[in-house]
Amino acid sequence: MKQILITGENSYVGNAFDTWLSNNPDLYSIDKVSMRDRSWKKKDFSPYDVVVHVAGIAHVSTDPDMEEKYYRVNRDLTIEVAEKAKADGVKQFIFLSSLIVYGENITNNGIIDMYTTPAPSNFYGDSKLQAENQIKSLNEDSFKVVILRPPMIYGKGSKGNYPKLAKAARKLPVFPNIDNQRSMLHIDNLCEFMKLMIDNQESGMFFPQNKEYVNTSEMVCIISEIHNKKIKLVKLFNPILILMQKKVGLVNKVFGNMVYEKSMSRYKEDYQIRDFRESIKLTER
């Protein structure tokens, strides 16, 4: 049986992963630890085979007063936890980073490939990237470091841009008809991928995503359909939105192109167990 410690008692991903592994109680034993104060430093990590570090600040802020907190939580805390895990004899450390390390100004029509250099454009992305760079050096045969750079994670109860779009799909009579592509990752696909990382004792950098790219306008239509609503797609606002993409970060996140080249996300076992339409139904049910 694998003994697993998840950091972050109230983490969306952590709680979902706990539930996911609980389907196999004979294979996995899961504990969670709060990182909101320094009491975690007194906890003995030695009974655990794996530490899954998902605690962190997951929203983007441009408030300069938040800068110190981002680096303290997303970078410094990650490094401390990884170093303690290694010192206590844990065999594997899984760190949830983010596609955000690539920034927002992706060339090549928004396609990220293995040659794309990370270029964070905010505290969130830079703090995650600095944490990655530090914990990589801890990797060795007796302490395997896994770094995941998922795109936008969504699912029942998720936060961020997805619930805002879902609300728009339920309320608005019209929505922009934009031909874009985004990489996204349903929470079940992420949980299955993390489970495989543990089962196969992996180390390295990974880029999990859904099997299909997502078109924002199509996604809004599917959400609307699930709720028995009708929404009309119009191109009237397209010229304005295209101009705004270069200046307004939120518009670019919603309507711009940003995808992982699909070969980056392939794995030797299937983790993409939810197709896109099914994942939306599970999220909106």
Side-chain angles (χ1 to χ4, degrees), residues 182 240-242 244-245 248-256:
R182 308 288 299 188
I240 297 172
L241 290 171
I242 290 170
M244 290 177 66
Q245 281 181 33
V248 182
L250 179 60
V251 174
N252 187 51
K253 286 177 185 177
V254 175
F255 296 108

Side-chain angles (χ1 to χ4, degrees), residues 253-269:
K253 286 177 185 177
V254 175
F255 296 108
N257 292 317
M258 185 172 286
V259 298
Y260 280 131
E261 196 277 317
K262 288 189 176 181
S263 67
M264 294 174 67
S265 301
R266 294 191 188 118
Y267 188 63
K268 60 189 177 184
E269 295 183 56

Side-chain angles (χ1 to χ4, degrees), residues 24-56:
N24 295 283
D26 295 334
L27 299 178
Y28 311 101
S29 174
I30 307 103
D31 287 334
K32 289 188 286 187
V33 60
S34 173
M35 312 302 285
R36 291 190 177 277
D37 56 38
R38 306 301 287 176
S39 62
W40 66 269
K41 301 191 75 161
K42 299 177 183 177
K43 185 174 180 63
D44 182 9
F45 284 12
S46 64
Y48 300 102
D49 301 295
V50 185
V51 170
V52 180
H53 184 61
V54 294

Side-chain angles (χ1 to χ4, degrees), residues 193-204:
F193 190 81
M194 292 197 295
K195 183 180 82 69
L196 291 173
M197 295 293 98
I198 292 172
D199 292 346
N200 297 327
Q201 301 178 37
E202 293 283 8
S203 65

Side-chain angles (χ1 to χ4, degrees), residues 15-31:
N15 288 340
F17 193 47
D18 182 6
T19 301
W20 193 257
L21 294 184
S22 295
N23 293 322
N24 295 283
D26 295 334
L27 299 178
Y28 311 101
S29 174
I30 307 103
D31 287 334

